[in-house]
Amino acid sequence: MKWDEELLSPNGWWLVQYTRDKRVRYIVLYGGSSSSKSYSAAQVLAIRTHALRVNTLVMRKVGASIEKTIYADFKSAINEIEGLASCCRFKQNSIVFDNGARIDFSGLDDPEKIKGISNYRWVFLDELSEYDENDFKQIRLRLRGMEGQQIIAAFNPISEEHWIKKRWFDLEEWHDIPMEVTIGGETLPTELSAVKSVRMNSAKQILNPKTGEFEEHAPDTIVIQSTYLNNFWVVGSPDGKYGYYDYQAIANFERDRINDPDYYQVYALGEWGHIRTGAEFFASFNRGTVCGDHPYNPELPIHVCMDSNVLPYVTATMFQKVYKPDDVQQVTQFAELPIESPNNSARKAARVIAGYLRTIGYTDRVYLHGDASGKAANTIDEHNRSFFDLVIDELEKEGFEVVDCIGKKNPSVSASGEFINAVWDGRVPGVVIKIDNSCATSIDDYQAVQKDENGAMAKQKVKDPVSKLSYEAHGHCSDCLRYAVVDLLRSQFTEFSMGRKRSLYNESEFKFFNPSTEYEYDTTMVYVLPNFGGVFSLVRIGKVGDRWHLTDVCCRTVKGNDEIVSAVKVMPADRYVVECQKAYFPMVRELRAALGDVAVVKMGSDHRTRIAATSDWVRAHIHIDPERMNEHEYGRFVNDMLDYNDESPAEVAVASAALSGAARAIIRNGM
């Protein structure tokens, strides 16, 4: 078989080489988007499946997504390979070749497909990051009985705490291999095979069950990392004779580099990272400024903060309070102990903590903080001692004097979260919170945990594949951070909380945009509250990068539906959202007939909670027109927003209610 050099991008050439190497069991393609991971797999697997007259299974986590994604890639790839399309029939969930070979497509929601995968030469797992670890285990255990069977996987590295990294990549020893591809005895020019990195795992010693002797198991995994710069159909071929330069795709990556560095880290650079959704509980957490080298200081006492949940681990985080020049107080998290099974009980976790403290040479008092609910009597213990009673008892047995700093009541979730965000924004004078880079689990948690509509943490539950027990995947380290920070910065937190009650926003927190600049908005939205305490309110906002400009407002006493309809119609936008009671539904139908995309949401019952929950997002993203502040309606709207607090009357709350509704719509729809 002769391979056309102008057919493939570098990922494809690596697949050609290693799908021919029967010593390799796993081929992993990971990195940024637009690097031709899935499409290259479609090209090479289609050709190899037909040529060898074997079967290939292509899987995604959810079968419903296959037709418009990976099936479409295979169909497109086959149609572009000269002569191959005439050799096959495209059927539902299958591509059947005239020589008997076939490519089947399935989701993991069809468990029978996992049971019967032993008949396939290749299993391609698209978007592996969507799979559970147990899914992957079942697939690799059931792929057996045929020489040269391989699992090929492709994904974007979305989280450093993902099982792919923690439970697979981090458990292997890796070494770089030469960046060259040899096919049929000929080595390709380096520019045709260059990717970001290529690594192979190391040999292992495994026990032969027949002889009872250990023997060497050769390296069996290749990991190929690539970015859009390695796709000739994005940046053009090295010689400029084929492929093409997609300036729009490159411009999009450049926009992300400037406006969304976390997104750029994953989808452009192909590095492990975290994607921001806009609804993060710690919206102001910035790894680049918050995290760094902040090790244990042997001259300071240690504060241990614990969360009593046992799944996925008992959480123990270590803090110190540092007094810096100019009366600045710094709370530093220098270590973490996510204590997993079999040590995830009160006494065993305490012994793990004691062991860690001894390794760093700490013998002084231990100041213990944590979840107040962990002090409740525990029926599991024969003496009805609480989780923290057992922890303290065990730490004292280990020789440590313990100071119980656990309060009778936990701090407000929303208030403590806002306080930490305010510290990271620099809005609380004389206070700093820093995290040591070694606290990987905590850092991932601070990035991942989301905010619900009430300003609390939206803790998504998952089920343990072995025990079948449900637990909260994120939020445990974040809770410990809240408890410790509030305890260590009690006076500052109290002052901040009192300030929140006086006024939710401060004028200095808001930014202005330049009205003399002609902005090209990515999208625009009008959010309408027809009647909020007798006041009609409307906001029109336009998106520029991750910012939203407040371009127009209405804030006036309701006189009738005709006035509302007229006010909305003169506001051009890509999307309209009306929050109202059923009585206004005829008015919404009239707006739809005139404007098209008009969504309606039921009138909320607790606007104050919603306003508080979205306030961090509003501070971070909404920009105001300075020239319109002198206009009566625009100025009144902004002033009402600045004057709002939890006890404000409806006519003052309406501005914040409208803006919070728009913020919620943006966050929910990922706009």
Side-chain angles (χ1 to χ4, degrees):
M1 180 183 295
K2 180 174 175 58
W3 291 83
D4 183 356
E5 285 191 356
E6 298 184 5
L7 178 64
L8 304 174
S9 278
N11 273 327
W13 294 118
W14 286 102
L15 283 170
V16 172
Q17 173 167 288
Y18 283 107
T19 54
R20 302 158 72 99
D21 190 338
K22 295 180 180 179
R23 298 169 299 176
V24 172
R25 180 69 163 180
Y26 308 99
I27 306 173
V28 182
L29 305 170
Y30 88 99
S33 65
S34 300
S35 60
S36 191
K37 299 183 295 295
S38 297
Y39 196 80
S40 292
Q43 291 177 298
V44 175
L45 288 176
I47 294 171
R48 298 278 285 142
T49 298
H50 177 257
L52 271 65
R53 300 184 182 184
V54 294
N55 298 331
T56 293
L57 176 63
V58 179
M59 303 191 78
R60 291 201 76 173
K61 175 69 173 178
V62 179
S65 64
I66 285 176
E67 183 178 358
K68 295 182 179 180
T69 55
I70 193 61
Y71 184 92
D73 282 344
F74 270 79
K75 189 172 182 179
S76 175
I78 289 172
N79 284 328
E80 291 184 6
I81 298 170
E82 185 177 353
L84 192 57
S86 62
C87 301
C88 69
R89 287 173 292 138
F90 296 103
K91 304 173 68 176
Q92 184 175 9
N93 297 327
S94 293
I95 299 171
V96 182
F97 294 96
D98 55 8
N99 63 2
R102 64 187 296 127
I103 302 173
D104 293 325
F105 297 80
S106 175
L108 276 178
D109 39 7
D110 182 0
E112 294 302 315
K113 285 296 183 183
I114 298 181
K115 295 179 181 179
I117 66 175
S118 59
N119 295 322
Y120 294 100
R121 172 67 181 275
W122 288 291
V123 175
F124 175 48
L125 307 178
D126 193 34
E127 301 292 351
L128 181 64
S129 56
E130 296 178 358
Y131 293 65
D132 298 329
E133 182 182 8
N134 197 52
D135 298 332
F136 183 67
K137 285 182 178 179
Q138 287 297 315
I139 291 168
R140 63 180 175 81
L141 286 174
R142 294 177 184 273
L143 189 66
R144 59 183 183 270
M146 182 189 304
E147 185 184 19
Q149 288 178 306
Q150 293 177 322
I151 294 175
I152 301 170
F155 70 95
N156 301 111
I158 55 173
S159 169
E160 292 188 43
E161 290 295 301
H162 200 283
W163 67 263
I164 298 175
K165 185 175 187 299
K166 290 191 69 175
R167 304 288 299 167
W168 186 8
F169 284 13
D170 288 353
L171 299 181
E172 295 274 3
E173 293 182 6
W174 301 95
H175 59 274
D176 293 328
I177 62 175
M179 195 79 71
E180 61 181 33
V181 172
T182 302
I183 300 172
E186 295 186 10
T187 300
L188 267 66
T190 303
E191 60 267 22
L192 296 184
S193 59
V195 289
K196 190 166 186 178
S197 69
V198 183
R199 298 184 300 163
M200 176 179 280
N201 65 342
S202 300
K204 305 181 184 69
Q205 294 294 314
I206 64 171
L207 182 67
N208 186 318
K210 289 186 176 181
T211 65
E213 300 290 333
F214 281 94
E215 57 189 30
E216 184 173 282
H217 177 66
D220 62 1
T221 305
I222 292 291
V223 175
I224 302 153
Q225 183 187 21
S226 58
T227 73
Y228 71 98
L229 298 173
N230 308 128
N231 184 353
F232 299 156
W233 278 263
V234 173
V235 297
S237 66
D239 59 10
K241 294 181 180 179
Y242 61 97
Y244 58 85
Y245 183 84
D246 190 337
Y247 71 94
Q248 292 287 11
I250 292 171
N252 282 333
F253 283 120
E254 180 63 12
R255 178 181 296 176
D256 290 335
R257 184 185 69 81
I258 297 170
N259 298 315
D260 196 341
D262 293 325
Y263 196 91
Y264 183 79
Q265 171 87 357
V266 174
Y267 287 105
L269 302 182
E271 298 291 347
W272 294 98
H274 237 294
I275 304 305
R276 299 185 71 84
T277 65
E280 283 78 15
F281 183 78
F282 291 125
S284 301
F285 178 85
N286 182 320
R287 185 167 185 171
T289 57
V290 174
C291 303
D293 186 17
H294 303 289
Y296 160 62
N297 185 339
E299 297 181 1
L300 296 174
I302 290 178
H303 297 261
V304 177
C305 192
M306 297 185 69
D307 184 274
S308 57
N309 289 284
V310 298
L311 287 177
Y313 42 72
V314 170
T315 310
T317 48
M318 313 284 179
F319 296 86
Q320 292 184 303
K321 187 174 182 180
V322 183
Y323 291 90
K324 303 178 77 68
D326 299 324
D327 295 325
V328 173
Q329 298 179 37
Q330 176 174 309
V331 172
T332 300
Q333 181 184 344
F334 68 90
E336 63 180 8
L337 294 173
I339 305 169
E340 299 178 326
S341 177
N343 294 314
N344 55 338
S345 66
R347 289 195 179 279
K348 290 182 178 180
R351 289 197 286 269
V352 171
I353 294 169
Y356 170 78
L357 295 175
R358 281 193 288 268
T359 63
I360 62 174
Y362 187 78
T363 58
D364 207 342
R365 289 178 178 175
V366 173
Y367 293 83
L368 186 63
H369 308 257
D371 182 359
S373 65
K375 299 194 79 172
N378 189 340
T379 56
I380 297 176
D381 181 72
E382 61 181 8
H383 300 296
N384 292 331
R385 287 174 295 185
S386 71
F387 176 88
F388 282 116
D389 288 336
L390 298 174
V391 169
I392 292 170
D393 183 57
E394 197 65 30
L395 285 173
E396 289 177 343
K397 287 181 179 179
E398 293 285 334
F400 291 94
E401 180 184 349
V402 180
V403 179
D404 184 352
C405 302
I406 303 162
K408 295 181 179 179
K409 183 180 178 181
N410 288 330
S412 162
V413 179
S414 59
S416 55
E418 283 186 39
F419 176 65
I420 293 171
N421 280 318
V423 172
W424 282 333
D425 279 340
R427 292 186 283 116
V428 182
V431 175
V432 178
I433 301 171
K434 295 292 184 180
I435 316 295
D436 190 76
N437 281 326
S438 65
C439 302
T441 300
S442 297
I443 292 169
D444 179 81
D445 200 70
Y446 304 154
Q447 292 176 307
V449 71
Q450 302 290 292
K451 179 188 289 187
D452 67 15
E453 292 184 14
N454 298 319
M457 294 184 192
K459 295 183 178 179
Q460 182 182 6
K461 288 199 171 185
V462 298
K463 183 174 287 188
D464 184 88
V466 178
S467 68
K468 305 302 180 184
L469 297 174
S470 295
Y471 62 89
E472 294 161 344
H474 291 103
H476 308 295
C477 294
S478 295
D479 277 338
C480 283
L481 179 67
R482 292 192 306 107
Y483 305 145
V485 165
V486 169
D487 287 347
L488 293 171
L489 300 172
R490 177 68 62 180
S491 61
Q492 293 90 341
F493 173 69
T494 301
E495 183 178 351
F496 176 83
S497 298
M498 294 301 294
R500 282 176 70 249
K501 292 178 181 178
R502 288 196 295 272
S503 179
L504 181 63
Y505 298 113
N506 185 296
E507 189 170 358
S508 63
E509 295 172 342
F510 283 93
K511 302 177 180 66
F512 297 95
F513 66 89
N514 187 349
S516 63
T517 300
E518 291 189 13
Y519 294 96
E520 184 175 339
Y521 293 114
D522 299 330
T523 187
T524 52
M525 181 175 72
V526 169
Y527 195 90
V528 183
L529 276 174
N531 188 341
F532 187 90
V535 179
F536 157 54
S537 183
L538 167 157
V539 295
R540 179 181 183 271
I541 52 179
K543 185 179 183 183
V544 181
D546 65 344
R547 304 172 182 176
W548 289 83
H549 292 175
L550 184 64
T551 59
D552 286 288
V553 303
C554 283
C555 193
R556 60 187 75 156
T557 302
V558 176
K559 294 181 179 179
N561 288 0
D562 290 343
E563 181 184 358
I564 296 172
V565 170
S566 298
V568 175
K569 282 184 178 180
V570 298
M571 298 281 185
D574 300 314
R575 179 175 174 79
Y576 298 82
V577 181
V578 182
E579 180 185 352
C580 62
Q581 294 123 337
K582 287 185 178 180
Y584 287 92
F585 284 7
M587 184 195 74
V588 173
R589 287 194 288 271
E590 183 180 349
L591 288 172
R592 281 178 177 159
L595 301 173
D597 187 3
V598 180
V600 61
V601 294
K602 186 179 178 181
M603 187 76 172
S605 60
D606 188 0
H607 287 85
R608 298 186 188 282
T609 300
R610 187 180 77 189
I611 292 167
T614 57
S615 60
D616 287 336
W617 188 94
V618 170
R619 288 188 190 92
H621 295 88
I622 296 297
H623 289 226
I624 296 170
D625 185 342
E627 290 188 355
R628 300 197 61 188
M629 286 294 292
N630 293 325
E631 297 179 10
H632 173 72
E633 199 160 31
Y634 195 96
R636 175 194 167 186
F637 184 95
V638 174
N639 286 330
D640 283 355
M641 193 171 62
L642 293 173
D643 290 341
Y644 171 81
N645 60 45
D646 290 344
E647 299 175 355
S648 295
E651 61 267 23
V652 174
V654 65
S656 295
L659 203 53
S660 70
R664 182 182 63 175
I666 291 167
I667 293 168
R668 282 184 170 180
N669 292 282
M671 297 172 64

